[in-house]
Amino acid sequence: MSSEGGAYGITVVGLFFFFSGYGLVKQYVLKGKSYCNGFILKRAKKLLPCFFFITILCVIAENLLNINILELGGGKIGCILVPNSWYVYVLFFFYIVFAVCGRFFKKPIQIVSMLFGATFALILFTSIVNLGDWWWKSSFAFNVGTLLPLLEEKQRKNELGIAREKKILFFIFTILVVSAILNVFSLSYYKVRSIFMIVLTTILPIYLYLVFKKVTFYGNKILHFLGSLSYEIYLIHGVVLIIVKNVFLEMKTIQCVIIVYLVTIVFSLPIYKLSKWSLIKK
């Protein structure tokens, strides 16, 4: 699928990676090495049931509609089963590195450093086996997320001063705009855009983090609802997109986008409930 390396998808995954990395180290700072006890099993129970149910859904849809949905061809995409699910494999790679490092290292900065090394190992591996560069373009956002809890600790201890915050935000915003324009409109050479794509996926979470620290939310139920389904939404949207594009061949783009989003959200809820139910049964 050509959409695998699209700017929008990589950016969204970058945000997902950022909050995943931030949550990991934040919990480690609060709980210490005990947080690593049974870590991989807990994460597998959280992520795999949904992946399994959507894979079954893909098999059923393929047989009913006679279209190809599952990604089994390898090549630049890899045998990832569920469309656009490469980020699940990358995330599990980081989880494994985190769990192993938690066994051998005590200081959070040591674990964060090893996770940075894991990103370069990921780049090397995906390059050797000729996977698409979207497999690692979002990964530095994960690393930035792991670093922020440590910076927060320094800030609390008055070891890190934030000077001229408005100028910093404006500078970051300018970089984001330039990076987005180059990628959205496919300006300049691919390698140049790739560098700015990495910049975009890495800096956007930082900008949002700084902005939302100053914004007070009063329990928006819609945002909370969509946030609770974010994993399911992103995992199933590629499946819905393929089905809509193959079934409604002459549908206009705007109609296709609306239907994909609506159907994705509608199907995400029962899959979320089913995944939770399967965990309770276990």
Side-chain angles (χ1 to χ4, degrees), residues 24-267:
L24 284 186
V25 177
K26 186 73 172 180
Q27 290 298 315
Y28 186 85
V29 169
L30 294 174
K31 300 179 181 179
K33 292 179 71 69
S34 62
Y35 180 64
C36 296
N37 295 336
F39 176 81
I40 293 298
L41 181 60
K42 293 176 184 176
R43 293 291 167 167
K45 287 182 177 179
K46 184 177 181 180
L47 297 181
L48 292 186
C50 175
F51 192 93
F52 172 77
F53 290 129
I54 294 179
T55 301
I56 296 300
L57 182 65
C58 290
V59 173
I60 295 173
E62 281 191 339
N63 285 276
L64 289 177
L65 302 174
N66 195 29
I67 58 177
N68 293 323
I69 299 177
L70 292 173
E71 298 289 356
L72 301 171
K76 291 186 177 181
I77 297 175
C79 298
I80 58 176
L81 297 180
V82 177
N84 301 332
S85 65
W86 53 268
Y87 75 97
V88 178
Y89 297 81
V90 174
L91 193 58
F92 258 105
F93 167 68
F94 281 125
Y95 284 165
I96 292 171
V97 174
F98 173 80
V100 172
C101 290
R103 294 282 185 178
F104 294 97
F105 301 104
K106 183 177 181 180
K107 295 181 179 180
I109 186 61
Q110 294 174 314
I111 297 176
V112 169
S113 299
M114 293 302 295
L115 287 169
F116 265 103
T119 293
F120 290 103
L122 176 67
I123 294 173
L124 180 62
F125 173 77
T126 53
S127 299
I128 291 175
V129 299
N130 197 32
L131 293 176
D133 56 9
W134 58 81
W135 279 78
W136 55 264
K137 278 183 178 178
S138 307
S139 299
F140 289 105
F142 181 90
N143 297 130
V144 170
T146 63
L147 189 60
L148 276 180
L150 306 186
L151 297 180
E152 288 177 344
E153 288 296 307
K154 289 182 176 293
Q155 185 178 349
R156 290 192 190 96
K157 298 175 182 178
N158 296 320
E159 297 177 12
L160 183 68
I162 301 179
R164 302 175 182 177
E165 191 167 329
K166 290 184 179 180
K167 290 185 178 180
I168 293 175
L169 285 173
F170 178 76
F171 176 71
I172 294 176
F173 181 74
T174 303
I175 296 176
L176 289 176
V177 171
V178 173
S179 303
I181 290 175
L182 286 174
N183 280 278
V184 171
F185 297 101
S186 298
L187 303 177
S188 189
Y189 296 105
Y190 179 79
K191 290 185 177 180
V192 175
R193 296 201 311 273
S194 294
I195 294 173
F196 279 98
M197 189 71 247
I198 297 171
V199 172
L200 176 62
T201 57
T202 304
I203 294 183
L204 178 59
I206 300 175
Y207 180 79
L208 295 177
Y209 168 83
L210 294 174
V211 170
F212 288 133
K213 279 184 69 176
K214 298 182 175 297
V215 178
T216 303
F217 288 95
Y218 298 97
N220 189 302
K221 293 183 179 179
I222 296 178
L223 292 178
H224 184 270
F225 170 74
L226 293 176
S228 66
L229 300 176
S230 59
Y231 174 62
E232 287 77 13
I233 287 174
Y234 196 81
L235 196 57
I236 199 175
H237 89 279
V239 179
V240 177
L241 179 61
I242 292 175
I243 293 175
V244 171
K245 287 175 64 178
N246 281 273
V247 174
F248 304 100
L249 299 177
E250 298 182 359
M251 180 179 293
K252 295 182 180 179
T253 301
I254 185 64
Q255 293 175 322
C256 180
V257 170
I258 293 174
I259 290 178
V260 167
Y261 274 105
L262 289 177
V263 175
T264 295
I265 294 173
V266 169
F267 273 87

Side-chain angles (χ1 to χ4, degrees), residues 5-21:
Y8 172 75
I10 293 175
T11 304
V12 172
V13 171
L15 291 172
F16 185 80
F17 277 176
F18 170 83
F19 289 111
S20 297

